[in-house]
């Protein structure tokens, strides 16, 4: 089985998502009744008590996901958000982004081990996946009519040593994750035909 990941362009991914929501009322097989609506009353009462502020941003829940394969592709990040995760630790990126790595990089059949240096995407692809997830989350929050914004924080995870973090490609990544206004505006223009 090939282990290469092939991210979808944002417009195609959003078309797939909207089509499934319109025709099956689900997101990649997750039925909409399982979506976490922050304004809806839940079995534990009104979710207002769950809301908190972190890094100056509102979180609708203090629940989230740790960095890993599931927080690498935009589809997985959005699935976590729809399921109630509001603190998203993005998959760790590092300067070495073209390595041949034994798979699986984490194996728990008998005892757990991690061979590390396990980034499957190039740094530029990782950034694009994170931005795409951010945009899709905002689109879905709007589509569902949930008030107050998506109530989510993306937390970067970078590694694995200071020398690597200081490399040009990692500095580019950190700069883009801090302010990607140009790329965000370009992607928003591309999506107008799919989601005006």
């Amino acid at each position: 089985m090939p282990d290469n990941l092939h991210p979808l362009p944002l417009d195609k991914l959003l078309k797939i998502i909207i089509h499934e929501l319109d025709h099956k009322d689900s997101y990649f097989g997750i039925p909409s009744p399982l979506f976490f609506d922050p304004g809806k009353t839940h079995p534990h009462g009104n979710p207002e008590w769950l809301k908190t502020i972190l890094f100056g941003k509102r979180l609708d829940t203090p629940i989230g996901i740790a960095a890993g394969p599931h927080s690498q592709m935009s589809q997985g990040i959005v699935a976590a958000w729809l399921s109630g995760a509001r603190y998203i630790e993005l998959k760790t990126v590092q300067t070495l982004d073209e390595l041949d790595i034994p798979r699986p990089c984490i194996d728990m059949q008998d005892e757990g081990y991690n061979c590390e240096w396990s980034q499957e995407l190039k740094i530029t692809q990782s950034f694009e996946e994170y931005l795409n997830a951010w945009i899709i989350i905002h689109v879905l929050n709007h589509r569902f009519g949930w008030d107050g914004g998506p109530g989510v924080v993306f937390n970067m995870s970078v590694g694995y040593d200071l020398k690597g973090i200081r490399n040009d490609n990692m500095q580019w990544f950190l700069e883009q994750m801090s302010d990607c206004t140009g790329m965000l505006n370009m992607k928003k223009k591309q999506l107008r035909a799919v989601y005006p």
Side-chain angles (χ1 to χ4, degrees):
M1 180 173 91
D3 58 7
N4 295 333
L5 300 177
H6 300 281
L8 290 172
L10 178 58
D11 59 337
K12 288 184 181 178
L13 180 57
L14 190 57
K15 283 179 187 177
I16 292 168
I17 292 168
I18 290 172
H19 183 268
E20 184 175 344
L21 286 169
D22 287 345
H23 293 89
K24 296 182 180 177
D25 198 28
S26 64
Y27 171 87
F28 287 95
I30 302 171
S32 67
L34 295 179
F35 297 169
F36 175 79
D37 177 349
K40 189 176 173 184
T41 301
H42 293 276
H44 301 291
N46 190 316
E48 286 300 315
W49 67 272
L50 291 172
K51 293 181 181 175
T52 188
I53 302 292
L54 185 65
F55 307 125
K57 304 291 182 186
R58 191 191 91 233
L59 285 176
D60 284 336
T61 71
I63 299 165
I65 57 172
H70 53 285
S71 65
Q72 179 168 218
M73 302 290 284
S74 53
Q75 300 95 311
I77 296 167
V78 175
W81 177 80
L82 282 171
S83 300
R86 294 300 190 264
Y87 186 78
I88 311 289
E89 185 184 25
L90 303 170
K91 174 78 165 92
T92 305
V93 297
Q94 70 270 337
T95 192
L96 301 174
D97 62 358
E98 293 188 55
L99 297 172
D100 187 20
I101 301 165
R103 300 285 188 239
C105 65
I106 299 174
D107 188 357
M108 297 299 292
Q109 292 179 22
D110 185 22
E111 61 184 77
Y113 66 89
N114 185 345
C115 74
E116 287 299 345
W117 301 102
S118 60
Q119 180 175 334
E120 286 85 5
L121 299 174
K122 293 180 186 275
I123 289 174
T124 54
Q125 291 175 308
S126 293
F127 164 73
E128 197 156 348
E129 285 298 293
Y130 303 155
L131 179 56
N132 290 351
W134 184 258
I135 292 168
I136 292 168
I137 285 170
H138 282 77
V139 165
L140 293 179
N141 187 78
H142 178 266
R143 178 186 168 100
F144 298 141
W146 295 342
D147 293 331
V152 64
V153 169
F154 279 14
N155 184 34
M156 287 187 288
S157 178
V158 297
Y160 282 95
D161 60 21
L162 184 57
K163 181 182 177 192
I165 292 170
R166 288 181 171 163
N167 280 343
D168 289 344
N169 59 350
M170 287 297 295
Q171 289 301 301
W172 174 89
F173 176 82
L174 293 170
E175 289 168 11
Q176 290 300 306
M177 291 295 285
S178 295
D179 181 5
C180 63
T181 304
M183 180 82 78
L184 175 62
N185 289 335
M186 182 188 74
K187 286 182 175 279
K188 284 163 60 175
K189 284 179 187 174
Q190 290 173 348
L191 286 183
R192 285 196 181 125
V194 180
Y195 193 82

